[in-house]
Amino acid sequence: MARAAAQKTSKPSSDKKLPNRPAASKEDLLRYYREMVLIRRFEERAGQLYGMGLIGGFCHLYIGQEAVAVGVQDSQRPGDGVITGYRDHGHMLAAGMDPKAVMAELTGRIGGSSRGKGGSMHMFDVPTGFYGGHGIVGAQVALGTGLAFASKYRNDGSVAFIYFGDGAANQGQVYESFNMAQLWKLPAIYIIENNQYAMGTSIERASATTELYMRGASFGIPGEQVDGMDVLAVKDATERAVKRAREGGGPFILEVKTYRYRGHSMSDPAKYRTKEEVDEVKKTRDPIDHIKALLAEAGAAEDELKAIDTDIKAIVAEAVQFAQESPEPDPSELYTDVYVEA
């Protein structure tokens, strides 16, 4: 009976004319385009700064997956929480964080959102409801379930958006979290960003069952598989899951089929897949090309898109300049933000 709780949509396709696509206004499409282009251009510059030695440690880029965070977080409202793993820059920008504060944090500067102490993998921003990227695989799932518990306790109608990848989907704490979330009917939206590779291992080699949207079936948690390269498909599925959660229906699992263009991190040459495979996805399923096609159908002029591109280029350039000019934190910052002041 629990298995019947899951539902499956059509698998991601290279066909840009997917059936039953939800409608969107030209204004909405332009907004999604702007947000997705901001993430991509920001990540491209972050990759450059990493290559120049201005970003230390690890750096995991979100290029190719932009439609996921933008589509999901379009349903976010004040009071909702967002939490994810270490591939987190896109989620921060989609949550509304200032690109200057994000870039400064990447470079370890005092102007960063965590005052230069979090870096790429551990940013945090309470005003936008972003509760962090987390470096321990799957750890954010239990923490995010705690956010959902807080929402339930406050009874304020908020929900928690909890992201994790196909690799983290095999972690034990994920299923402990599923059990508690369903037991207490928590408003938790679990978003599995299935980009096909857990670090360098394909999902077929790492997971005994690859239909990840069904991973909550034994707990009675429904799920749905979504084309993560189509921002409107992601938005539509998320809206339904969020409405259900806000009305007390409990947790929901969205398996969002997506693809990352770069390696697992900047240090990964990605030799476990062919260049032809990556090029084929870029050519046939790129999420930004996809929305540009929708905008053409909606009558958007090329000049409108060029104006957005120019504006985004300036925003990212300003973020880079701010990061480079912001000083490094004083050593005394090691002793701040350890405990909450009471």
Side-chain angles (χ1 to χ4, degrees), residues 73-94:
Q73 287 166 229
D74 192 57
S75 295
Q76 183 185 358
R77 70 186 192 191
D80 292 341
V82 177
I83 193 167
T84 186
Y86 40 74
R87 195 179 310 281
D88 50 4
H89 313 155
H91 309 83
M92 300 168 190
L93 296 172

Side-chain angles (χ1 to χ4, degrees), residues 54-272:
L54 297 176
I55 295 176
F58 292 98
C59 185
H60 306 80
L61 302 182
Y62 203 61
I63 297 173
Q65 300 184 210
E66 297 90 351
V68 181
V70 171
V72 168
Q73 287 166 229
D74 192 57
S75 295
Q76 183 185 358
R77 70 186 192 191
D80 292 341
V82 177
I83 193 167
T84 186
Y86 40 74
R87 195 179 310 281
D88 50 4
H89 313 155
H91 309 83
M92 300 168 190
L93 296 172
M97 287 177 66
D98 184 347
K100 295 194 297 294
V102 178
M103 194 68 82
E105 188 62 37
L106 290 179
T107 55
R109 306 303 177 96
I110 193 68
S113 60
S114 298
R115 300 181 65 81
K117 296 183 288 187
S120 173
M121 297 169 63
H122 302 101
M123 278 187 241
F124 198 86
D125 189 62
V126 173
T128 58
F130 185 77
Y131 287 89
H134 293 266
I136 303 301
V137 176
Q140 75 274 18
V141 180
L143 296 172
T145 303
L147 292 175
F149 180 83
S151 296
K152 177 86 171 185
Y153 188 83
R154 292 191 303 262
N155 192 30
D156 58 6
S158 64
V159 304
F161 296 97
I162 305 159
Y163 293 88
F164 56 105
D166 46 294
N170 295 320
Q171 294 288 315
Q173 66 265 38
V174 170
Y175 300 95
E176 296 175 30
S177 299
F178 284 174
N179 183 63
M180 288 188 287
Q182 179 68 347
L183 184 65
W184 297 327
K185 297 296 182 190
L186 301 183
I189 311 300
Y190 296 104
I191 305 108
I192 304 176
E193 295 194 76
N194 183 358
N195 63 20
Q196 319 301 312
Y197 293 95
M199 296 184 69
T201 305
S202 69
I203 185 171
E204 290 81 9
R205 294 181 60 206
S207 298
T209 59
T210 59
E211 304 290 352
L212 303 182
Y213 71 100
M214 297 185 67
R215 289 293 180 93
S218 62
F219 304 99
I221 301 176
E224 182 174 340
Q225 187 182 87
V226 186
D227 182 357
M229 308 302 264
D230 182 341
V231 68
L232 296 188
V234 177
K235 169 184 162 57
D236 180 59
T238 305
E239 279 186 341
R240 287 184 273 106
V242 168
K243 182 177 185 294
R244 178 181 179 275
R246 294 199 200 280
E247 293 174 351
F252 196 90
I253 297 171
L254 290 174
E255 180 194 358
V256 188
K257 298 290 287 293
T258 184
Y259 196 85
R260 57 171 165 81
Y261 293 172
R262 302 290 183 91
H264 172 69
S265 70
M266 285 295 296
S267 60
D268 172 20
K271 293 183 178 179
Y272 41 83

